[in-house]
Amino acid sequence: MKKLNYTIQFSNIQVGKISVLLQKGKGKLHFKAESISEGFVDYIYSYRSQIISNTLFKNNEWLPKKYFIKSTFNKKKTSTEVTWDLLSGTIKSKLDPPLDLKKVHKIDKKSLKDVVDPISTIFNIIKKLNKFKSCNNKFKIYDGRRRYNIILKNFGDYFLEKDRVKSFHGATIVCGIKFIPIGGHRLKSKWKPQEDSFEDIKIFFSNLDENAIIPVRVDIKRWFGTVIIRLFSDDF
């Protein structure tokens, strides 16, 4: 079992933490992540979430079996569970509360063909990095509440300098990401995906030990500011 810890920074202030547990079995992976807000943000926008994902290795790729997320935002609770039947190809979703179609776009059931969850997507990105040292790819993603596509662009090697105590520094491979909303996104939003650049969201991957490539940093530049997620450890 591998445990990873990340900090979340917004406008040079730490606003949250993420803890990840990853358990490997023969042809399967169990992923659990918990995130929590902290500092002044916790007083204004208190947030807690838990993600659990079970993924199977089949036909030379990671495929989702079950994806579950529950969260609390300012005392408002939501839960989402999506299960994939890999034999029949069917998908079942349980949402509490259901999507509010007065606020978000409807998700067309026809768009759910060949979709995967966000976690198996990360595993497949890492799989390609292990083999080809490149992340150029496309994925169709469904998390129960949103349906979107992502396109990845390989930016190549980059040496990441330490910029915080206990943050990672060393050789990385950088991947840029663009999101294409399909359904579940807000009807009214300042986000203009057609104006996004691959430079706006970048993930830095590194091979830490035993050929275990993992994300060590994520930079997110949006209209409201910049968010940086850093892997931290006493070993760095």
Side-chain angles (χ1 to χ4, degrees), residues 67-201:
Y67 178 83
F68 172 79
I69 178 171
K70 64 178 181 179
S71 62
T72 302
F73 179 70
N74 284 346
K75 298 182 180 181
K76 181 180 179 181
K77 296 182 179 181
T78 62
S79 67
T80 307
E81 180 178 292
V82 186
T83 56
W84 281 258
D85 187 321
L86 300 182
L87 293 177
S88 65
T90 57
I91 301 174
K92 294 182 180 180
S93 306
K94 296 180 183 178
L95 281 66
D96 181 24
L99 292 180
D100 185 349
L101 297 181
K102 293 181 180 180
K103 295 182 179 180
V104 301
H105 290 270
K106 180 180 179 181
I107 299 176
D108 191 336
K109 290 184 178 180
K110 294 180 181 179
S111 72
L112 299 183
K113 183 179 179 181
D114 300 326
V115 294
V116 294
D117 75 312
I119 306 305
S120 60
T121 298
I122 294 173
F123 294 151
N124 281 310
I125 294 170
I126 291 172
K127 174 180 170 291
K128 186 170 183 179
L129 283 171
N130 267 316
K131 188 173 183 179
F132 299 108
K133 306 300 179 186
S134 173
C135 52
N136 292 328
N137 217 330
K138 297 179 181 179
F139 294 94
K140 298 166 63 177
I141 301 176
Y142 175 61
D143 65 7
R145 294 187 178 273
R146 287 164 295 274
R147 167 70 182 89
Y148 54 93
N149 295 341
I150 65 169
I151 305 173
L152 292 104
K153 179 178 180 180
N154 193 73
F155 281 125
D157 298 334
Y158 180 82
F159 190 88
L160 193 62
E161 299 286 353
K162 182 186 290 288
D163 61 353
R164 291 291 186 278
V165 176
K166 298 182 181 181
S167 67
F168 173 84
H169 72 285
T172 68
I173 298 176
V174 186
C175 303
I177 299 180
K178 289 180 69 173
F179 286 80
I180 303 172
I182 305 297
H185 52 297
R186 290 189 172 276
L187 295 170
K188 295 181 180 180
S189 173
K190 294 183 179 180
W191 178 35
K192 297 179 181 180
Q194 68 276 11
E195 297 180 4
D196 284 354
S197 162
F198 284 108
E199 294 278 355
D200 293 338
I201 303 177

Side-chain angles (χ1 to χ4, degrees), residues 5-23:
N5 294 297
Y6 296 85
T7 60
I8 306 171
Q9 173 192 312
F10 173 69
S11 188
N12 210 34
I13 300 173
Q14 186 168 314
V15 296
K17 291 182 179 179
I18 304 171
S19 62
V20 175
L21 286 175
L22 182 60
Q23 187 171 6

